[in-house]
Amino acid sequence: EPLATRRPFCRSRSMSVIPATNSLVKYDNPVLIARTTDKKSSRARVKSDKLSATLNQSLQATIAAGGPAVPTPPRTVKLPPVEQKREKETEDVLNSILPPREYSESGQLWVQQVSSTPATRLDVVKLQEQLDAKLQQRQARETGICPVRRELYSQCFDELIRQVTLECAERGLLLLRVRDEIRMTIAAYQTLYESSVAFGMRKALQAEQGKTDMENKIVQLQGEKKELEAAVASLKAKCDDIERREAERRQAEERKHAEEMQFLKRTNQQLKTQLESILAPAKK
């Protein structure tokens, strides 16, 4: 097919698409895009221009010679059938939902359009079997987060959208909205998960750094504790020494005081006895 007929479809040259044989979505046979089509079409256009110029010159020469002028027949515009127009609209909607894909193989650029063949019950059963086979072949996990399982179910959902769109375009567009909403929700959850993982990693690093600082502080406090315990032991030893010396001094003072009291009592008794002996003869 000419390249000009392929331009309305969106193409992405920067992305290499996998052929449709690895996808659950049903595609038509790939079409090779010839890069020399523009040159060929330009050459054909030049030839047609030369031919029309030659015909115009001959027509003008005939008119100038007085010959009968050839009337130009009116153009009749033929309207397309209603069914063909409806199929065209359905194909446009289908191409807007699932755009054609491009992939490179052996230096050639191939284009695949989504198949516009209606699906039967057998196609749905075959789709289910292909889904189960690919899940087992690619070893997709049955539970939890699995990108492989998500990709395969996304392809299966796109194929169901294709089948429904061929029957009812409005229903297919509604399913497209549902698919986009699901993808947007999953993308939001993925962003939330990535931000939570980054937050957790940041908190873990902060906790690790805080743990190191805390360990250093614990070591410092333990050293200070040992120093204080040594100071307490030294002061306690000094207190015991002071108490022992004060006890010895008090005992020495008590002994000295007792001796002085005994000495004073004996002296008082002697003086009393002497005084009584002196006063006794005077009374006689």
Side-chain angles (χ1 to χ4, degrees):
E1 295 184 15
L3 183 61
T5 59
R6 293 297 176 188
R7 288 179 182 173
F9 305 123
C10 67
R11 301 191 317 192
S12 176
R13 294 183 179 273
S14 61
M15 184 172 63
S16 178
V17 183
I18 304 174
T21 54
N22 295 330
S23 176
L24 294 176
V25 183
K26 189 175 181 181
Y27 282 84
D28 289 333
N29 293 328
V31 178
L32 176 63
I33 297 182
R35 305 195 178 192
T36 58
T37 306
D38 291 337
K39 296 181 180 179
K40 293 181 179 179
S41 60
S42 61
R43 292 176 183 174
R45 195 179 303 112
V46 170
K47 291 182 179 179
S48 63
D49 292 341
K50 289 182 179 180
L51 182 59
S52 60
T54 305
L55 291 177
N56 289 332
Q57 290 177 359
S58 62
L59 181 60
Q60 290 176 1
T62 303
I63 295 174
V70 180
T72 304
R75 294 185 179 181
T76 58
V77 180
K78 186 177 181 182
L79 297 176
V82 178
E83 291 294 333
Q84 185 178 359
K85 184 178 179 181
R86 187 176 301 171
E87 291 178 0
K88 180 63 177 177
E89 293 178 355
T90 304
E91 289 181 0
D92 293 340
V93 172
L94 193 60
N95 288 327
S96 64
I97 295 175
L98 300 171
R101 309 189 315 170
E102 293 185 0
Y103 65 94
S104 299
E105 184 177 358
S106 300
Q108 296 177 342
L109 188 63
W110 297 82
V111 175
Q112 279 185 315
Q113 294 185 10
V114 180
S115 177
S116 58
T117 305
T120 60
R121 182 178 179 274
L122 184 60
D123 293 334
V124 178
V125 175
K126 186 177 179 181
L127 175 63
Q128 182 178 359
E129 294 176 354
Q130 289 179 353
L131 176 62
D132 296 336
K134 285 186 176 294
L135 287 173
Q136 186 176 4
Q137 178 183 0
R138 299 182 62 178
Q139 298 179 356
R141 288 182 291 182
E142 296 182 358
T143 57
I145 300 175
C146 181
V148 176
R149 189 180 73 247
R150 175 185 170 187
E151 178 187 357
L152 292 176
Y153 274 98
S154 178
Q155 293 178 5
C156 181
F157 193 62
D158 289 341
E159 173 62 17
L160 293 178
I161 291 177
R162 184 194 72 83
Q163 297 177 5
V164 171
T165 305
L166 293 175
E167 296 181 0
C168 179
E170 290 77 9
R171 196 179 302 155
L173 292 174
L174 184 58
L175 286 178
L176 176 64
R177 289 182 57 186
V178 174
R179 186 196 69 177
D180 293 341
E181 178 66 24
I182 292 174
R183 290 183 177 178
M184 185 176 62
T185 304
I186 292 176
Y189 279 121
Q190 186 175 0
T191 304
L192 180 62
Y193 171 75
E194 292 175 355
S195 61
S196 62
V197 169
F199 178 77
M201 291 294 294
R202 186 166 59 252
K203 285 297 182 181
L205 292 176
Q206 292 178 359
E208 190 68 23
Q209 184 178 3
K211 180 181 177 182
T212 304
D213 296 340
M214 190 62 66
E215 289 178 352
N216 296 331
K217 189 174 182 180
I218 288 173
V219 172
Q220 180 182 358
L221 291 176
Q222 286 179 350
E224 294 179 358
K225 177 186 174 184
K226 290 181 180 179
E227 294 177 357
L228 292 175
E229 287 178 351
V232 168
S234 177
L235 293 175
K236 189 175 182 181
K238 288 182 180 180
C239 288
D240 294 340
D241 189 18
I242 292 172
E243 287 178 357
R244 182 177 53 79
R245 285 183 296 180
E246 288 296 326
E248 292 177 355
R249 185 179 61 81
R250 187 168 52 251
Q251 289 177 2
E253 289 180 354
E254 286 178 357
R255 283 196 304 268
K256 184 179 179 181
H257 181 69
E259 291 176 356
E260 290 180 354
M261 288 294 294
Q262 290 295 331
F263 175 74
L264 291 175
K265 284 181 180 181
R266 284 195 305 268
T267 304
N268 187 21
Q269 187 66 30
Q270 290 177 358
L271 292 175
K272 186 177 179 181
T273 304
Q274 291 178 2
L275 183 61
E276 287 179 355
S277 63
I278 292 172
L279 291 176
K283 291 181 179 180
K284 292 180 179 180

